[in-house]
Structures are given as structure tokens and as C-alpha cells.
Amino acid sequence: MTFRPVTMSHDDPPEDGVDVITKPVVKTRKPPLYKVLLLNDDYTPMEFVVHILERFFGMNADAAHSIMLTVHMKGLAVVGVYSREIAETKVTQVMDYARRNQHPLQCTMEKE
Ligand code: TYC
């Protein structure tokens, strides 16, 4: 099977009997994901952190307790991975809630 141009301008080079078929290269890029991190401190009560993890990150009591202890022992932990908008919302919700309850708990996000 041969492929020939449908139209040809006078600027095109003369036909030399070689047809080149090009395939369009469509590149898509997945949007980046963001890790939401909870940071340890010396003052926020453990039960409050467990409550945060249940309320804003949908964890059951066992998972929340386990992650809270990880933060307590290691200094920080990833508590979820989300799109930028969702991660920003989680960080804002946690920071507002901690502040309203007068705890110094810190929550941040970073690109994966
Ligand atoms: N270190 C705190 C305490 O001993 C508990 C704690 C855990 C605080 C996790 C913050 O993200 C945190 N009361």
C-alpha cells in the first residue's frame, strides 16, 4: 500500500518515490501526587492525634493509633497521598482544627 499527500504546495520537494509515514506522538503527563505528613511535637495529646487521623484521613482506631505511634517515635509519618488540591485541603483542615483546639500539631505536604 502506498500513501501519497492529498495536497502538495509548490514549496514541497519533488516526489522521489519515497513515502514517509509519520505517527503522531501524543504525550500526556499524570498530575503529580503529594504526600501529607504529620509531625511530632512534645505537647499535642496522643488521643487528639488519633482523633485527627480518624476524622480527616478515614483511618480506623487501630490504624490511627499505629500511625500516631510512628509519628511519636520517628518524628513524622506520611498519613496520605493525594492530588495537590486534596492535600492542601487536608493540611488546612488539620492545621485549623489543631489551632482551634490550642495544640501545636504541624501538618505539611510535599510532592512525591
Ligand atoms: N509526642 C506527643 C506526646 O507525647 C504525641 C504526638 C504524636 C504528637 C504524633 C504529635 O503528630 C504527633 N504527647
Side-chain angles (χ1 to χ4, degrees):
M1 186 188 287
T2 58
F3 293 82
R4 304 213 172 276
V6 177
T7 59
M8 196 185 222
S9 84
H10 297 298
D11 298 335
D12 288 333
E15 276 279 10
D16 60 3
V18 178
D19 294 322
V20 176
I21 302 169
T22 59
K23 180 165 80 62
V25 179
V26 179
K27 293 218 165 163
T28 57
R29 203 167 274 289
K30 294 199 193 109
L33 291 172
Y34 290 78
K35 296 182 282 199
V36 172
L37 305 153
L38 208 56
L39 277 55
N40 188 37
D41 66 73
D42 291 339
Y43 306 102
T44 305
M46 291 185 172
E47 314 77 60
F48 184 79
V49 178
V50 170
H51 176 66
I52 289 266
L53 293 169
E54 292 171 342
R55 181 177 177 128
F56 297 113
F57 298 93
M59 293 184 196
N60 65 36
D62 282 357
H65 192 78
S66 167
I67 298 283
M68 181 280 296
L69 283 181
T70 298
V71 178
H72 176 68
M73 291 185 299
K74 302 204 166 191
L76 83 181
V78 176
V79 296
V81 177
Y82 307 96
S83 68
R84 182 168 56 79
E85 291 84 351
I86 301 292
E88 281 169 353
T89 301
K90 301 280 182 195
V91 169
T92 300
Q93 286 173 330
V94 171
M95 294 298 284
D96 287 354
Y97 193 72
R99 198 183 164 82
R100 272 189 276 131
N101 287 276
Q102 303 187 326
H103 296 307
L105 183 65
Q106 294 294 306
C107 184
T108 61
M109 58 191 270
E110 70 178 39
K111 206 188 223 171
E112 257 200 341

